[in-house]
Amino acid sequence: MIKRPTQKEGISPSFMVLILFLCSLIFSSCVLLQRKRTRFASSRCVECHTQKAQDYLQKLTVHKPVSEKDCSRCHEPHGFVGTLHLWEQGKPELCFRCHPKIQAQVSQSKTPKQDAAQGGAFSVHKPVEKCTVCHDPHSSDNANLTRQRGQELCFSCHDPAQDQEPFNRPFKHKALEKGCQLCHLPHASDKPELLADEEKRLCLTCHRTTDDRLVAAHQGYPVKEKRCSQCHNPHSSDTQSLLRARIHKPMQEKKCSFCHLSKDANEPFRLKKEKTGELCYQCHDGEKYRTAIGQDAHKAVQEGRCLACHAPHASDSKGLLSYREPWVCYQCHLQVLKETEQRSVHKPMKNGQCTVCHDPHSAQVKWPLRGGQAGLCYQCHKEGMSEEGKYPEGDHKDLDPDSQAGEASQPGSYSIHSPVQKGECLSCHANHASTVSGLLKEPIPKVCYQCHMKEEKQYTRVNAHTPVQNGNCLGCHTAHEGDHEKLLLFPAQELCWTCHLPLQKQLEDASLHSPFKNGQCMECHNPHASDCKNMLIQNSGLLCLSGECHQPLGRDLAAGGKSPASVTHSPVRSFQCLSCHHPHGSRLSRLLLSQSGSLCFPCHKSMEEKIGQANAHVHTPVQKGKCLTCHSGHGASHPSVLAAGVDSMCLECHKQDEKLFLRAHGNIRPDKNHCLDCHDPHSSKEGGLFRRVVHEPFQSKKCDICHRRTKDNVPE
C-alpha cells in the first residue's frame, strides 16, 4: 500500500513513477481509440455498393451526404441490415438534423393561431410525416430531390380525376399552370390549405381591384378586402370567370343589391335585414321552417343562422353548403367527428352522408330525423327482414303487440324481437359509431341484459349453457326476427344438433328416450342455466318421476310407501335414475346402461365376489345376468325388491308336482314361503344352492326324525 506523502515528507520517487505510468496508460488508450475509429472510417460503403453509388452520382441532384460519401450520416453502419441512424424508419426527425429551418416551420405551424380574423387555421403537409413520400433520399433528376417534376408530384396524391377538388375542369386558373408552389408552401404554413400568404394578399399579387373588368364583374362593390375563394374556385371551373359550380340566384342574376345595401352606401356589404333568416325567407319557403321551430328543428334554423351552413354567394357543394358534407356538420358537431375513430361506424356516417338520416332543417322527429327509427332504418336495412319486419314504425299489423321479446304471436310461427316490433332500433344500437361491432351500444350479452334482467340473474346458476358462459346469445338466437319461436336460429332440435352432433351419431340405431326422439330437449333441460347437473330442470329423479312421462310410476311408488312392507330400490329412493338408465338412448331395452347383471354388480359388489368364487354353484338367472327375473327394478311390496312372494317366484320355475322336485325334497311337498330357509337365492358352494350350515338330519334326508307326515304327505 502506497502511503500518501505529507507536506513535510515531500513526494517520494515511487509515487511519481506510479503517476507517470497511469498518465501514459490513459494517453495510450486514447491513441488506440483514435486509431480504431480511423480504421473503421477508412472502410467505405461504396466498396460494396459500387453500382448504386454510380447510379446516384449520375443524376442531376445528389443528396449532400451521398456526394460526400458519408452514408453513416443517415445509416447505422453496423448490423445485418443498414437502418436509419438513431431514428425509426420513416420519421422526419432524421432529416430535421440537417434541415432545421423546415423543422422550425413545421413546429411553428403546429401551434394554433389565436387570431380569428386571420383565419384561425394552420396546416402541415401530410407527407412531412414521411419525407421520402416526395423526396428521394439519395439523388434525383429533379430539383430539391423530388421524385417527380412540379405538378406531377402533387397529382400523384391529389388525383385530378378522383379528388374532391377537381383540377381538370375546362377553365383552369393560370397560377395552377405555373405550378402549385406559386400559391402553396410544400411543407407547412400558418395559413389554411398550406397557402403562402393571406388569401386576399395572395390574389392581389396578380389581380388588380382597380381593373375595369374586375370592377364591372363585381357590380362596383369594393371586393378588395373580401376572400375571393368564397365565389371563385382557385383551381379550375366550368366558367371562364372560375366561379364555383353552384351560384346563389341573386348573384347569378347580378342582383347584389337584392340582399346587400347599395354599392354607394357607407357599408355596402351590410345586409338589408338584421336577421339572416328573415332575409333568406323572402325567397325560400320559410313557413315550413317556422312551423318546426320549437319542435325538432336544427338549432341553426331555430336561431335563423342560415350562413352557419350555407355559403351566401357560391359553392361547389350541393345546396350551396359552405363546406361539403360532412365537414359542414363537424363545424358544430365536433364530438361526432371523434366518434368516427371507433371500431364500428354507421355506413352513412362513414361515407360522410349525414343527411341520409337527418333532415338539415327540421323534422317531426327528434334530432331531426327523416322518419321514425324503424321507418328510417328499414330504408337501408331490408336485407334479411321478413315482410313483417319491413313495415314502418307503428305498422306491424300482423304482430301481437302484447307478445314478449323473442316470442312468436302463435307457437311455432314467425317471431320478432320486441325492440324491432316497436321500432326501437336504438334500444340496442348506437346511431353513429360504437366500439362494438354491429354498432351495438354494449357487447353481447350486456346489451341483451338491459331488458332481460331477470334472465341475467338466472344465468349465475351453478351450471350454465356454454353459449351463455361465453356471452354468445347469438349462438342460438337471431337478433331481429326469425321463422322459429323464441327467435331461435333453427327449430329447437336442429339447433341443439349444431353443437351436439356427436351424441346423435353415438345413438344411431339405438332405442331413444321419447323427448330426445321427438326433439323436445327442453322437456328435460334448461336452455340457459340450472343449479342441477347437466342443466336439468330438476334433479334427474325428481324430473323423471314428477313429469308427465313417468308420473304413474312415481304415484305407485308413493302409494307403496304408505305400507311398512313396501321396498324401493335404493337408486329410485335417492332419485338417481341415471345410475341405471341412459337419459337419451340405449341399444338395450328400457334405456339401460348395460345388461342387468353387469349393471347391478357395481352396487352389489359382495354378491359379485360371492358368485365369482371357485366351485360356486350359481342360480341360473344370476348366472345369465337376469336379475330382473326375480327382482323389480324400481320397487315392490316384497322384501329384497322381489317382483312377487317367495313361493310364487320360485314356483314359476320349480313345479311342485314334478317327480324330480318331489324326489329332491324326499317326496315331501314343502310348505309355502320357506324356500329360502334352506336355499341361497344367488349362489352356494353346495349343490342344490343349500346354505352353508345344514342340519344333519336334513343333510341325510331323514326328515322323519323330526317331522311326521300328514295324509297329504306334508311334514308337520
Side-chain angles (χ1 to χ4, degrees), residues 230 318 331 476:
Q230 287 184 330
K318 184 179 178 181
Q331 290 183 104
C476 299

Side-chain angles (χ1 to χ4, degrees), residues 90 125 132 146 177 300 381 402 414 468 503 525 554 595 620 656 679:
H125 200 192
T132 54
T146 56
E177 296 175 352
H381 300 281
D402 296 325
Y414 170 85
V468 174
L503 179 61
H525 298 280
Q595 296 289 354
T620 301
Q656 270 187 323
H679 301 282

Side-chain angles (χ1 to χ4, degrees), residues 352-499:
Q353 298 172 316
C354 305
T355 53
V356 167
C357 301
H358 298 280
D359 189 298
H361 297 107
S362 63
Q364 298 300 318
V365 184
K366 192 178 179 182
W367 294 317
L369 293 172
R370 291 189 178 275
Q373 290 181 37
L376 181 61
C377 298
Y378 292 163
Q379 290 179 14
C380 297
H381 300 281
K382 293 179 180 178
E383 185 178 354
M385 301 295 288
S386 67
E387 290 301 321
E388 290 85 345
K390 290 180 183 175
Y391 287 146
E393 182 179 3
D395 195 23
H396 299 288
K397 297 177 181 178
D398 295 342
L399 299 175
D400 178 8
D402 296 325
S403 63
Q404 298 298 315
E407 291 186 358
S409 300
Q410 296 177 357
S413 66
Y414 170 85
S415 58
I416 186 167
H417 196 189
S418 180
V420 177
Q421 183 177 359
K422 296 175 182 177
E424 297 175 350
C425 305
L426 299 183
S427 295
C428 304
H429 298 281
N431 50 359
H432 294 125
S434 172
T435 56
V436 184
S437 61
L439 276 177
L440 291 174
K441 286 184 173 180
E442 292 188 87
I444 295 175
K446 285 186 178 180
V447 69
C448 302
Y449 292 158
Q450 290 180 140
C451 297
H452 302 280
M453 293 178 285
K454 181 180 178 181
E455 286 78 359
E456 181 184 13
K457 293 178 181 178
Q458 294 175 351
Y459 299 162
T460 58
R461 292 173 176 172
V462 176
N463 299 296
H465 197 190
T466 301
V468 174
Q469 289 179 356
N470 298 336
N472 183 20
C473 304
L474 299 184
C476 299
H477 301 278
T478 182
H480 297 107
E481 50 78 41
D483 294 327
H484 312 290
E485 61 180 347
K486 299 185 183 299
L487 288 171
L488 293 177
L489 295 170
F490 306 102
Q493 186 182 35
E494 291 181 23
L495 181 62
C496 298
W497 287 149
T498 58
C499 294

Side-chain angles (χ1 to χ4, degrees), residues 28 62 112 165 214 243 246 411 487 513:
S28 63
V62 181
E165 186 75 16
L214 189 145
L243 287 173
R246 294 169 176 82
L487 288 171
H513 192 195

Side-chain angles (χ1 to χ4, degrees), residues 168-279:
N168 279 339
R169 287 172 177 167
F171 298 93
K172 296 179 178 60
H173 193 191
K174 288 184 179 180
L176 179 65
E177 296 175 352
K178 294 179 181 179
C180 304
Q181 291 191 41
L182 188 65
C183 299
H184 299 280
L185 295 178
H187 298 110
S189 172
D190 56 0
K191 310 296 187 296
E193 307 295 340
L194 289 171
L195 290 176
D197 199 351
E198 291 292 342
E199 182 183 322
K200 56 187 177 183
R201 288 201 298 266
L202 194 61
C203 295
L204 292 177
T205 57
C206 298
H207 302 280
R208 298 289 177 263
T209 55
T210 56
D211 185 275
D212 292 340
R213 288 186 305 168
L214 189 145
V215 172
H218 293 88
Q219 304 298 304
Y221 279 83
V223 295
K224 181 179 179 180
E225 299 299 323
K226 300 299 177 182
R227 287 177 53 238
C228 304
S229 62
Q230 287 184 330
C231 302
H232 300 278
N233 190 303
H235 299 113
S236 67
S237 173
D238 293 325
T239 64
Q240 189 172 6
S241 56
L242 291 179
L243 287 173
R244 293 192 177 273
R246 294 169 176 82
I247 304 170
H248 196 194
K249 189 175 180 180
M251 179 179 165
Q252 192 173 25
E253 296 175 352
K254 298 183 179 181
K255 296 179 180 178
C256 302
S257 59
F258 189 87
C259 301
H260 297 280
L261 297 180
S262 169
K263 64 181 179 180
D264 299 321
N266 291 332
E267 298 179 79
F269 291 107
R270 185 175 178 179
L271 297 177
K272 287 185 173 182
K273 298 279 188 181
E274 289 295 330
K275 294 184 178 180
T276 309
E278 292 179 3
L279 182 64

